[in-house]
Amino acid sequence: MLVVKTKNLSKIYRGYRGFLKKRETLALKGLNLEIKRGEVFGLLGLNGAGKTTVLKILLGFTSPSWGEFELLGEKGINNHVKKKIGFLPEDPNIYNFLNAEQFLDFCGKLFNLSSKERKIKTEMLLELLSLTSAKKIPVKEFSKGMVQRLGIASSLINDPELIFFDEPLSGLDPLGRKRVMDIILNLKEKNKTVFFSSHILAEVEKICDRIGILHKGKLIASKDMEEIAAGEVSLEDFFLQTVRG
């Protein structure tokens, strides 16, 4: 089953430069993607390539200028689909007056989980992300890595079928990156689908089934990791060769 499918997905940002001078930026050009259930897919690209724009469209934060997409077999995104999705934004902005336990409980309420379900899920996720000892500490006292781990925990509170991670390894120390990579692989074992963007190519290489490379808003490559490995090149070398043309 296809979990994510896009057809000619495109986005133009319009604005003004100087005195009433129109400016248009084509951030995404005719994206065609198909991602299967149980797949770990990595979307790669240089800064400004359009990775975050793709996520914003798929999650309903912005509308495409043209093109269409399907998630979990349904056209576009609606409340029914949103209940089955988890999302970690780049640099998650978490209510800093709450502690970790309170924040996960709040997230559980958004998905109408019962009090018992919220307690069980909260305890499990705090343990999974090594935050149990810090569960009563206000988020404003967290390090960047701790905020990142709490953001990942919150994205899993509803036991989603499809998870979008925007730079999930950002701000994490080596131990934290290993833990998150293990979580992603565990999600795959449970037949969940993970769609994420990252700049840390050495780590992507270890966990992805397939990667796509965006460059200046256009998908210029989509490859199985086995195919890249068969060419006896690292993902980093393949990426650099591809974006340099």
Side-chain angles (χ1 to χ4, degrees):
M1 174 186 173
L2 291 178
V3 174
V4 179
K5 181 179 180 181
T6 72
K7 183 178 180 182
N8 201 30
L9 205 62
S10 305
K11 180 66 178 179
I12 293 177
Y13 289 109
R14 293 182 171 89
Y16 291 92
R17 178 175 53 196
F19 184 71
L20 298 181
K21 186 176 180 180
K22 280 190 175 181
R23 178 182 64 184
E24 290 189 347
T25 302
L26 185 54
L28 191 63
K29 309 173 187 178
L31 178 67
N32 294 297
L33 266 183
E34 292 186 350
I35 301 173
K36 301 174 184 176
R37 183 176 296 280
E39 190 171 32
V40 178
F41 180 85
L43 187 63
L44 313 178
L46 302 173
N47 290 333
K51 302 186 301 297
T52 298
T53 295
V54 173
L55 293 177
K56 285 181 176 179
I57 292 173
L58 295 180
L59 289 159
F61 297 142
T62 189
S63 300
S65 299
W66 65 87
E68 57 189 35
F69 66 94
E70 295 179 10
L71 297 178
L72 297 166
E74 298 193 33
K75 195 167 185 177
I77 186 164
N78 53 47
N79 287 337
H80 180 252
V81 171
K82 287 178 181 179
K83 290 178 181 178
K84 303 177 183 179
I85 287 177
F87 172 53
L88 171 77
E90 185 177 11
D91 296 324
N93 188 7
I94 295 173
Y95 299 123
N96 61 16
F97 57 87
L98 298 178
N99 61 41
E101 189 176 51
Q102 291 169 333
F103 179 68
L104 291 181
D105 184 71
F106 167 75
C107 292
K109 288 179 180 178
L110 295 177
F111 288 98
N112 294 318
L113 300 183
S114 68
S115 176
K116 182 179 180 180
E117 286 177 308
R118 297 199 306 272
K119 181 176 175 59
I120 292 172
K121 289 282 186 69
T122 294
E123 290 179 354
M124 182 270 289
L125 289 168
L126 288 171
E127 178 67 24
L128 184 66
L129 274 302
S130 299
L131 290 170
T132 301
S133 62
K135 66 181 181 180
K136 298 294 186 182
I137 298 174
V139 172
K140 64 183 177 182
E141 297 180 21
F142 275 21
S143 66
K144 177 176 174 57
M146 292 170 72
V147 169
Q148 187 77 353
R149 283 184 278 139
L150 181 56
I152 292 170
S154 70
S155 73
L156 303 176
I157 193 74
N158 58 322
D159 192 23
E161 296 180 31
L162 171 61
I163 304 99
F164 292 99
F165 287 146
D166 194 357
E167 298 291 346
L169 305 175
S170 175
L172 298 176
D173 58 26
L175 187 60
R177 288 202 299 271
K178 175 65 167 60
R179 183 172 294 275
V180 172
M181 289 166 61
D182 287 344
I183 288 171
I184 291 174
L185 291 174
N186 183 254
L187 289 168
K188 172 182 168 60
E189 288 179 3
K190 294 178 178 178
N191 207 31
K192 310 288 188 180
T193 305
V194 180
F195 182 120
F196 74 99
S197 69
S198 179
H199 287 109
I200 307 176
L201 301 185
E203 310 292 11
V204 170
E205 192 168 19
K206 297 174 184 177
I207 57 177
C208 278
D209 299 302
R210 192 158 57 92
I211 58 98
I213 298 177
L214 271 182
H215 189 55
K216 297 180 180 179
K218 185 175 181 180
L219 186 70
I220 59 174
S222 180
K223 292 275 188 180
D224 290 337
M225 284 305 306
E226 289 183 356
E227 187 178 355
I228 295 173
E232 298 184 349
V233 295
S234 68
L235 177 57
E236 182 175 4
D237 288 339
F238 176 78
F239 175 82
L240 293 173
Q241 290 167 11
T242 302
V243 297
R244 288 170 178 168

